[in-house]
Amino acid sequence: MQQIINFIIRNKRFLLFLLLFSVSIVFTIQSHSYHKSKFINSANFLTGGVYNSVNNISEYFNLKSQNQILAEENNRLKALLFNAENQLDSSYIDSVTYNGLYRIQTAKIIKNSYSLTDNFLLINKGTNDSIREDFGVITSKGVLGIIDNSSKNYSTVISVLNTTSNISAGLKKTNHIGSLTWDGESPNIVQLIDVEKIAPVAIGDTIVTSGRSSIFPKNIDIGVVEDFELDVAENYYEINVKLFNDMTNLEHVHIIENKDFEEITNLLNSH
């Protein structure tokens, strides 16, 4: 305490000057609107810059939670979209559709292969999350594959880059459909086969899921027509499809569950 008193005594003139100077500034600002507005603008600029920096730091540390919120919102919107499309499709109109035929979950890719003949992915959701075989897997850009097997916490996915993969797909602009397969060559190109030669195929046409299976809803993007030709018998087109997904750069996925899958499968297998 004595040191503080000594400091004040030693610097009393300077401290008195600062006090009077501060008082004069306050009176000047209060009595002149121009000076007052300049002061407020400067203060807002300074505090705004500080708050902006603090907010940027806070947002950085909250990225994980924000990503989770966005993923959940994407799930909700995709579920609304898929179920709404089925409601508009007369072939799907029944009492179950209106309660929501599709359920969506998010997952993260743990492992992804794309340079083999039969490629698989590993995701961090399993039977504990009600994930099971034959659920569809997509990204925000398009179809990725189908769940092949699940443990408690993980599942393997048959990639579209797998020679055993077979997904019902077709032209978005018409109802002409075929089977989406892969020839084991480019990780960017898959093949759509068995498309009737009367189909009006053109380079650049969008290829989507057909909705004719119990796995994927209708009109989920897959890719665009790169080129095409007739098969040996000249009855069907063989179409090269450039994928929307970059199969070498994947992280987050959406898992699609058709809640009527088991009922549909059992009914089909009974014949």
Side-chain angles (χ1 to χ4, degrees):
M1 186 65 183
Q2 185 61 43
Q3 290 181 348
I4 296 175
I5 294 173
N6 291 336
F7 173 80
I8 294 174
I9 292 173
R10 285 197 308 269
N11 299 280
K12 58 184 179 182
R13 293 182 180 178
F14 178 72
L15 294 174
L16 179 61
F17 168 76
L18 286 181
L19 176 62
L20 295 175
F21 182 72
S22 300
V23 171
S24 65
I25 289 177
V26 170
F27 281 129
T28 301
I29 292 172
Q30 292 293 333
S31 60
H32 295 82
S33 59
Y34 175 78
H35 294 88
K36 186 175 182 178
S37 65
K38 286 295 183 181
F39 174 77
I40 292 173
N41 289 338
S42 299
N44 287 341
F45 176 78
L46 179 61
T47 56
V50 172
Y51 285 136
N52 185 57
S53 299
V54 172
N55 185 59
N56 288 339
I57 294 171
S58 177
E59 285 182 347
Y60 176 80
F61 286 107
N62 287 329
L63 281 178
K64 184 175 181 180
S65 62
Q66 291 301 317
N67 284 338
Q68 181 62 32
I69 292 171
L70 288 174
E72 291 173 358
E73 180 65 9
N74 281 336
N75 277 348
R76 188 183 72 83
L77 294 175
K78 286 182 183 296
L80 289 173
L81 175 64
F82 297 154
N83 290 315
E85 286 183 348
N86 282 336
Q87 289 173 19
L88 294 174
D89 187 338
S90 60
S91 66
Y92 281 95
I93 294 178
D94 56 31
S95 60
V96 178
T97 300
Y98 292 97
N99 293 324
L101 182 61
Y102 295 100
R103 182 183 293 116
I104 315 296
Q105 291 192 56
T106 55
K108 187 175 181 179
I109 294 175
I110 305 300
K111 180 178 174 57
N112 175 28
S113 65
Y114 48 83
S115 57
L116 306 175
T117 302
D118 296 319
N119 294 290
F120 285 84
L121 301 98
L122 179 67
I123 60 175
N124 66 343
K125 291 289 180 69
T127 55
N128 285 346
D129 304 288
S130 301
I131 304 300
R132 66 172 186 265
E133 182 182 351
D134 290 327
F135 282 12
V137 182
I138 66 173
T139 71
S140 58
K141 293 184 177 180
V143 170
L144 189 60
I146 299 172
I147 298 288
D148 174 59
N149 200 4
S150 296
S151 64
K152 288 184 177 181
N153 299 302
Y154 300 95
S155 297
T156 54
V157 180
I158 298 178
S159 170
V160 290
L161 301 183
N162 189 306
T163 56
T164 66
S165 175
N166 193 315
I167 296 172
S168 180
L171 296 171
K172 186 173 185 177
K173 67 182 182 182
T174 70
N175 288 320
H176 294 94
I177 65 171
S179 297
L180 193 75
T181 61
W182 188 50
D183 61 8
E185 296 183 9
S186 171
N188 302 314
I189 305 292
V190 294
Q191 286 68 46
L192 182 63
I193 61 174
D194 298 333
V195 178
E196 292 280 355
K197 69 177 181 179
I198 61 173
V201 184
I203 292 175
D205 283 349
T206 300
I207 303 300
V208 297
T209 53
S210 67
R212 302 295 177 88
S213 76
S214 53
I215 297 176
F216 294 104
K218 187 176 182 180
N219 286 332
I220 299 180
D221 286 340
I222 296 173
V224 295
V225 175
E226 181 84 353
D227 56 61
F228 59 94
E229 63 182 6
L230 288 172
D231 61 10
V232 176
E234 296 191 352
N235 292 320
Y236 299 95
Y237 281 121
E238 294 179 346
I239 303 171
N240 283 322
V241 180
K242 183 176 177 60
L243 294 170
F244 287 130
N245 275 319
D246 178 356
M247 299 299 292
T248 68
N249 183 26
L250 300 168
E251 185 174 4
H252 298 285
V253 298
H254 300 278
I255 303 168
I256 304 174
E257 174 191 358
N258 182 337
K259 291 188 285 186
D260 287 349
F261 176 83
E262 189 172 345
E263 178 182 348
I264 295 170
T265 303
N266 290 337
L267 183 61
L268 292 174
N269 291 338
S270 67
H271 292 281

